[in-house]
Amino acid sequence: MIWVFLFLPILAFGFFDRPVDYFGTKKEDKALEEKAKEKIEEREEDEYKRLWEEAQRWFPETTNPLERAFYERPNDPKIIEMLDRFYLERQERAGLLASRILERQETRELAIRRKLSEYQVIYFYRPDCPYCRASEQYTPIFAYAKQFLRVDLSLPENARYVMQYRIRGVPTFIFMKDRKEVARWEGLWIYPSERAIKFLMELP
């Protein structure tokens, strides 16, 4: 029986080997952690507020004098009237600028059409060529050419044109004037890209 009493403390220690929080220190630690977390969140919130206030002070300084005056005196009827007039005039100027841009584009388009009317354009392509398929949607401009010919190089009867016109790849657009080649475009054709417009405007 003596050995039972010897082993009882060991068994008891094994049973109660989990730490016991007799003084509530774990609760205090958890409370401290929560307070620390709250302080971090408060600091972050303060930082957001500071950034917002700085943004509000900074924004009027980037606007024109009338807008700055409106931020300072939002109920001043004279400033409101002047600001309304300013926005209206700016809108009118924007509309005038847009109409001039459109007018310029139309003038340029007419010039390109007139120029194309002097040329015969031969378009070499293959149906299995992805760049040819992509170029197709931009070929309507060549309807204004003197003549627009399409040559499918996948057809055996058109193979002779590869050597005759020195075709290195498709798509290729050859511009002829008085039965002589004066220019050629090799690769993807996109109109009205700036590069394509410049090419057409500089045709000899």
Side-chain angles (χ1 to χ4, degrees), residues 81-97:
E81 179 187 350
M82 292 171 66
L83 198 57
D84 285 341
R85 190 174 66 194
F86 169 78
Y87 284 138
L88 182 61
E89 290 177 359
R90 188 163 64 177
Q91 186 177 2
E92 290 174 354
R93 287 199 301 271
L96 180 62
L97 179 61

Side-chain angles (χ1 to χ4, degrees), residues 70-189:
F70 174 74
Y71 278 105
E72 293 169 3
R73 290 174 285 169
N75 298 319
D76 190 324
K78 185 64 177 176
I79 290 177
I80 293 173
E81 179 187 350
M82 292 171 66
L83 198 57
D84 285 341
R85 190 174 66 194
F86 169 78
Y87 284 138
L88 182 61
E89 290 177 359
R90 188 163 64 177
Q91 186 177 2
E92 290 174 354
R93 287 199 301 271
L96 180 62
L97 179 61
S99 65
R100 286 180 179 173
I101 291 172
L102 288 173
E103 184 180 350
R104 180 177 175 273
Q105 289 176 342
E106 289 173 0
T107 303
R108 186 175 61 184
E109 185 74 11
L110 288 173
I112 288 173
R113 292 177 184 181
R114 282 195 297 268
K115 195 153 195 176
L116 275 174
S117 65
E118 303 173 9
Y119 298 87
Q120 179 190 45
V121 182
I122 308 175
Y123 169 41
F124 295 92
Y125 72 100
R126 289 180 59 94
D128 57 352
C129 164
Y131 293 105
C132 300
R133 291 197 297 269
S135 299
E136 284 289 337
Q137 58 184 312
Y138 304 110
T139 57
I141 185 63
F142 297 122
Y144 299 97
K146 186 176 182 179
Q147 188 178 22
F148 181 50
L149 302 174
R150 302 165 60 92
V151 180
D152 182 357
L153 292 181
S154 67
L155 300 176
E157 59 267 27
N158 292 335
R160 57 193 174 93
Y161 294 121
V162 174
M163 293 295 294
Q164 182 180 342
Y165 289 97
R166 304 184 309 279
I167 304 299
R168 297 182 298 180
V170 289
T172 294
F173 298 83
I174 294 181
F175 294 77
M176 310 281 291
K177 192 173 185 179
D178 299 328
R179 298 184 180 181
K180 294 180 181 179
E181 179 182 339
V182 294
R184 71 167 56 196
W185 178 286
E186 296 175 327
L188 179 64
W189 170 261

